[in-house]
Amino acid sequence: MKIWFVNHYAVPPTQAGGTRHYTLARELIALGHDVTLIASSFDHTTRSETRLKPGSDSLLEKVAGVPFLWIRTPPYTGNSFSRLRNMVGFARLLPSQTRQLPSPDIVIGSSPHLFAATGAEKLAASRHVPFVMEVRDLWPESLIQLGNMKRHHPLVLLMTVLEKRLYRKARRIFTLLPGSADHMVAKGAIRQHIISIPNGIDLHLVPPSSPPVERETFTVLYAGAHGLANGLDTILDAAGTLIKSGDPKLRFRLIGDGPNKPALKERARLEGLTNVEFCDPVPKSQIFNVMQEADALIAMLKDVDLFQHGVSPNKLFDYMACSRPIIFGIRSSNNPIQEANAGITVPPENPQSIIAAMKQLSSLPLSQRWEMGLRARKYVEENHDFAKLSRRMHEALLQVLPE
């Protein structure tokens, strides 16, 4: 089966960012499929052109065994009009830049933004093949609850129309959000077409578990996007409280990038938060070794109703694979950390609870923290191994092919 996987932000493990689609493509190729990832050559993490030489509009190349079609899109910075132009530009360029490829049997279009998914749906229609949608975030609901857009904003109204159209057109809907089916059905999706395929881990990239070691300081690490949804000001609130209390042992390390990072760094500088270290993004192929240097890891999101549809943060399962205890600060309908007994759950946007969790974990014997980490590792190996998730996707795609 020839599969086109359209994801504006797909990257290989040699770059920082989510490698879900690279790994799924590699596993589907191992199952005998011909998969091409179609993505923008403009790197979302570094905000730079990474693949194309001047004058080139696209490039088809194999990266670490997986074919990528890189499409040049307009550059952008932050969450601005230039980013919207980048999104729309990617979707508009899909027809012309995919002419060089042999026709697929199926086209998969991935959110979060619905312009790319709509472009994928139109590609499928033009090639007379089934369209499958993947939902990683619920747009436009995310724009309303996290971006503070009004429901009557023109962009929200447009996205609402696109969302309903995509749910109706999709022959299958792969969702990362375990509690999202009711929302989709209310918007026109067929419940029987909705299949849960959460985020996961690529065990090929994960080193063997290593036990924690005793250190003079106790470092809690965050690795991921520094954006609107992530609520990282709460970490700085906690850091400020620790500075005032004169507790030098508890520290934070933040790895990644995003539109809020400059403001977070400036706030830390102005408030003298010497217990917070900001680090550049790290490629997926290296991040696991870096995370194992931490004493604990933290996953958090803003306190909004949106996450009652469920969450599946890529970083959360990376954390669990590193065999370290996790502080889970998300109000969601699912809680893998609680299910695995692999850390401490705290209310979102609550710095005092984060400090309490840090103190509780730091006071535990190394053996108990190690047991927490091993339970986390076992949980993702059993439930979030991409090799297993790709077989679920393979079976669903076979059902969609015309006989």
Side-chain angles (χ1 to χ4, degrees), residues 202-212 288-293 318-324 370 373-374 377 381:
D202 181 354
L203 290 175
H204 294 84
L205 297 177
V206 182
S209 296
S210 62
F288 294 100
N289 287 320
V290 174
M291 289 195 293
Q292 284 198 352
E293 297 171 2
D318 290 347
Y319 287 178
M320 297 179 83
C322 289
S323 305
R324 292 292 180 268
W370 179 224
L374 290 177
R377 175 73 175 239
E381 287 180 349

Side-chain angles (χ1 to χ4, degrees), residues 287-332:
I287 191 63
F288 294 100
N289 287 320
V290 174
M291 289 195 293
Q292 284 198 352
E293 297 171 2
D295 299 292
L297 303 155
I298 186 165
M300 53 191 301
L301 291 168
K302 290 184 73 65
D303 187 9
V304 294
D305 292 338
L306 175 70
F307 303 123
Q308 290 303 302
H309 297 295
V311 295
S312 185
N314 187 63
K315 60 176 156 288
L316 180 63
F317 305 119
D318 290 347
Y319 287 178
M320 297 179 83
C322 289
S323 305
R324 292 292 180 268
I326 296 160
I327 300 171
F328 185 82
I330 303 172
R331 179 170 63 91
S332 62

Side-chain angles (χ1 to χ4, degrees), residues 157-174:
L157 295 175
L158 173 60
M159 289 284 184
T160 300
V161 171
L162 296 180
E163 179 189 30
K164 292 179 178 179
R165 170 189 168 87
L166 289 166
Y167 291 157
R168 290 197 310 268
K169 294 284 186 179
R171 296 284 298 279
R172 290 292 184 275
I173 299 172
F174 300 147

Side-chain angles (χ1 to χ4, degrees), residues 6 17 40 46 53 59 67 75 80 89 101 109 121 179 188 211 216 222 225 240 278-279 297 305 315 344 350 385 392:
V6 179
S40 169
T46 63
K53 296 179 180 179
L59 172 67
S80 60
L101 302 178
E121 187 273 319
E216 291 184 5
Y222 171 87
F278 290 91
C279 302
L297 303 155
D305 292 338
K315 60 176 156 288
I344 298 175
N350 190 317
D385 177 3
R392 190 184 305 175

